[in-house]
């Protein structure tokens, strides 16, 4: 499978995972999540890129770079270098960011939206997502185990897409 790369993006405040509101988000840190995700991706035969930022524009730049575009893109990208899928936990940007949504749509890379907490059981404003209607899957409420599910699904989706020739 060409381009065996998945990019995991974590948005604002996810660097505080394990510290911020552990009664909601649990005690696992972002480093814990990243270590498990790297090992899992390797077992699945994929390379995993990891990016976290508290800045909306930096996330947009990284999404564009995933497709070989934008200010962070390397010269000479080939199709085999590009990211095949994105797993994104946009954090609070879920409810506010049209520009991150536009970046995801602009690169045409399938993405899985993930949330550690069950956003549908929280405040009403957290129940709206600018991403869900375009995501190939939405995972929420599974705690950090949701990242495991998201990576597993991303690989399954990519393999199915390759086998059927559908996007």
């Amino acid at each position: 499978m060409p381009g065996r790369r998945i990019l995991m993006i974590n948005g604002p405040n996810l660097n505080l995972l394990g510290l911020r509101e552990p009664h909601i988000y649990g005690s696992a840190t972002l480093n814990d999540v990243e270590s498990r995700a790297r090992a899992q991706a390797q077992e699945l035969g994929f390379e995993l890129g990891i990016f976290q930022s508290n800045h909306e524009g930096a996330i947009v730049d990284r999404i564009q770079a995933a497709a070989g575009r934008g200010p962070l893109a390397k010269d000479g990208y080939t199709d085999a270098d590009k990211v095949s899928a994105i797993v994104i936990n946009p954090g609070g940007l879920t409810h506010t960011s049209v520009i991150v949504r536009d970046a995801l749509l602009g690169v045409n890379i399938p993405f899985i939206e993930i949330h550690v907490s069950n956003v549908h059981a929280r405040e009403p404003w957290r129940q709206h997502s600018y991403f869900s209607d375009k995501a190939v899957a939405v995972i929420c409420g599974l705690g950090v185990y949701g990242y495991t599910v998201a990576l597993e699904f991303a690989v399954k989706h990519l393999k199915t897409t390759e086998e059927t020739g559908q996007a």
Side-chain angles (χ1 to χ4, degrees):
M1 171 182 265
R4 295 179 74 90
R5 288 189 168 87
I6 297 172
L7 174 62
M8 184 171 76
I9 298 174
N10 283 290
N13 296 312
L14 285 152
N15 56 308
L16 298 177
L17 204 57
L19 303 171
R20 176 182 167 228
E21 301 175 281
H23 61 286
I24 295 174
Y25 301 108
S27 60
T29 67
L30 186 57
N31 285 339
D32 296 336
V33 169
E34 291 173 350
S35 294
R36 284 187 221 132
R38 277 192 181 98
Q40 179 187 5
Q42 187 174 13
E43 288 172 14
L44 293 169
F46 278 74
E47 181 182 325
L48 181 67
I50 295 176
F51 183 77
Q52 188 279 325
S53 181
N54 294 321
H55 304 282
E56 193 173 35
I59 293 169
V60 169
D61 289 344
R62 186 61 190 96
I63 290 167
Q64 291 177 1
R69 302 184 193 115
L72 297 180
K74 297 185 288 186
D75 291 335
Y77 253 82
T78 67
D79 284 343
D81 292 328
K82 295 177 186 174
V83 168
S84 299
I86 295 173
V87 171
I88 183 168
N89 183 339
L93 296 175
T94 303
H95 326 291
T96 64
S97 187
V98 173
I99 67 168
V100 172
R101 174 194 168 94
D102 286 350
L104 287 165
L105 296 179
V107 298
N108 199 30
I109 296 172
F111 69 94
I112 293 111
E113 177 183 352
I114 177 173
H115 300 283
V116 175
S117 69
N118 180 355
V119 294
H120 302 290
R122 297 188 63 194
E123 304 92 340
W125 58 267
R126 288 191 194 270
Q127 296 172 21
H128 175 265
S129 169
Y130 278 100
F131 308 104
S132 296
D133 65 318
K134 299 299 181 183
V136 296
V138 179
I139 299 164
C140 72
L142 298 180
V144 296
Y145 177 66
Y147 287 95
T148 301
V149 175
L151 281 174
E152 186 177 304
F153 180 80
V155 170
K156 180 179 179 179
H157 176 75
L158 291 170
K159 288 180 178 178
T160 300
T161 299
E162 183 180 70
E163 290 168 6
T164 62
Q166 298 175 348

